[in-house]
Amino acid sequence: MSKELRVVISGGGTGGHIFPAISIANAIRAICPDANILFVGALGRMEMQRVPAAGYDIQGLPIRGFLRPLWKPGNFGVALDYLRSKWIAKDLLKSFKPQVAVGVGGYASSAALGAANSLGIPTLIQEQNSYAGLANKTLGAKAAKICVAYEGMERFFPANKIMLTGNPVRQQLLDNTVTRENAVRSFGLDPQKKTILLVGGSLGARTINESVLNHLDKLRVNNHVQFIWQTGSYYNAAIVKKLDEVVCPDNLKVMDFISDIATAYKAADLIISRAGAGSISEFCLLGKPVVLVPSPNVAEDHQTKNALALVNRQAALYVKDAEAKDTLLPLAIKTVCDDAKLKNLSENILKMAVPNSAEIIAKEVIKLANNGD
């Protein structure tokens, strides 16, 4: 294009929104190295740290989510913050002068893309989940392009705007070349044993953690299987104290946070995880067998819908959150010892992968900036 490419990318709140946003920005920069990219996030949310760490500028809005139920008195203040955020976002856009605005979901994107629509700036939405979030459903009517990761999204968006692109994932996962054996050794474990990785997201997952604590006896008995357990920083101190009291099994590696998740994925023969869309996309691209435990604490129960999209294709196993404390660990141990089952899960989940998602979306962003040419 003849003039400098200027792009606003908005959204966040969780890694599931932030990682795709940064991946899209990186892909835009790979095509247009001089592109000027500005992120717009929510003050106090994790994007305000993660985005600058990735090398991009970010502006924060005083926006927050509505309380449930909606008639709670505090929502009057939330509504005022939304109006204030939209006003601030409009000023930011007028000053920055982007040719296109990208929304990845989360509080901030509703204000930033709403402001973009009011200023006549073309918008692109990236919806990660199989069940569209409220912000994206609202913005979809005025979006120029809607990039999705699952089929059947015509339920939420105009069919003529939808493009199946998959979800962008963290590039380091695909670039990791360590062998499984060396990956397992890096955690101080035995490459000859089957390895289960338990991750509940960066903050942890109470149910997954309690599932392990409830079955420490099974871990000791099944010492031909070993475990890498990311507890999450919020739960780690209490878990370490509990394990000190009962003596931690030798086949259990406990960590509050795994910084090198690519190597952890490589070490794992089976993964236990929540069913966030970003994580699922990573498992698909890597062909990792997985047991999904959808979080019940998300809007529209979208993690269960994400999980069932895989389960219906025999591409993952699924345990309800309410049943996980009793059934999750026994199922995982049984599955990881079944080579045929692991092979079948790996082959089926790999079929659901959409490679090069970030690059595909980046090209659509650039096309919109060029007035659709």
Side-chain angles (χ1 to χ4, degrees), residues 207 274 292-294 296 304 318-325 327-328:
T207 300
R274 287 303 200 189
L292 297 170
V293 187
T304 295
Y318 157 55
V319 174
K320 291 181 180 178
D321 186 86
E323 300 171 0
K325 283 181 279 188
T327 65
L328 177 59

Side-chain angles (χ1 to χ4, degrees), residues 8 73 90 93 116 142 150 154 183 190 222 250 259 336 343:
V8 160
K90 190 176 287 190
L93 294 175
K142 294 187 177 180
Y150 294 89
E154 297 83 1
D190 183 354
N222 292 279
D250 293 337
S259 56
V336 83
K343 183 173 184 290

Side-chain angles (χ1 to χ4, degrees), residues 4-226:
E4 179 189 48
L5 174 62
R6 303 176 73 84
V7 180
V8 160
I9 300 178
S10 185
T14 66
H17 293 315
I18 297 164
F19 294 137
I22 293 172
S23 295
I24 293 168
N26 290 342
I28 292 171
R29 280 269 174 88
I31 299 170
C32 299
D34 296 327
N36 194 342
I37 300 172
L38 175 67
F39 280 76
V40 178
L43 290 171
R45 304 291 286 185
M46 62 191 294
E47 60 264 25
M48 300 307 293
Q49 285 77 45
R50 296 288 180 89
V51 169
Y56 294 98
D57 293 331
I58 185 167
Q59 295 287 333
L61 303 177
I63 195 167
R64 50 203 170 103
F66 281 97
L67 306 171
R68 306 286 178 166
L70 290 177
W71 55 82
K72 279 194 172 183
N75 279 328
F76 179 73
V78 175
L80 288 178
D81 280 344
Y82 171 78
L83 294 174
R84 184 171 159 231
S85 294
K86 192 170 178 181
W87 175 73
I88 293 170
K90 190 176 287 190
D91 272 359
L92 277 173
L93 294 175
K94 286 178 179 178
S95 174
F96 186 69
K97 296 182 173 60
Q99 292 109 339
V100 60
V102 179
V104 296
Y107 308 141
S109 67
S110 60
L113 266 71
N117 286 329
S118 68
L119 294 171
I121 298 167
T123 60
L124 178 146
I125 292 171
Q126 199 264 321
E127 173 56 59
Q128 295 101 32
N129 293 292
S130 61
Y131 194 96
L134 178 61
N136 279 351
K137 281 192 286 188
T138 304
L139 295 166
K142 294 187 177 180
K145 183 70 68 174
I146 302 166
C147 297
V148 302
Y150 294 89
E151 296 175 349
M153 299 301 285
E154 297 83 1
R155 294 175 295 161
F156 309 109
F157 303 118
N160 63 320
K161 297 181 179 182
I162 294 174
M163 183 175 185
L164 184 64
T165 61
N167 282 325
V169 303
R170 293 170 281 188
Q171 190 61 38
Q172 63 264 38
L173 300 180
L174 306 177
D175 294 342
N176 188 283
T177 58
V178 69
T179 65
R180 177 196 174 274
E181 290 73 17
N182 287 337
V184 173
R185 286 195 185 97
S186 74
F187 290 95
L189 298 174
D190 183 354
Q192 300 302 315
K193 294 182 178 181
K194 295 287 190 179
T195 303
I196 296 175
L197 170 67
L198 303 105
V199 286
S202 58
L203 300 179
R206 181 192 297 274
T207 300
I208 292 176
N209 290 341
E210 290 179 348
S211 300
V212 180
L213 293 174
N214 282 3
H215 290 96
L216 291 174
D217 56 332
K218 287 192 180 295
L219 270 62
R220 292 191 180 92
V221 171
N222 292 279
N223 61 6
H224 56 289
V225 178
Q226 57 198 358

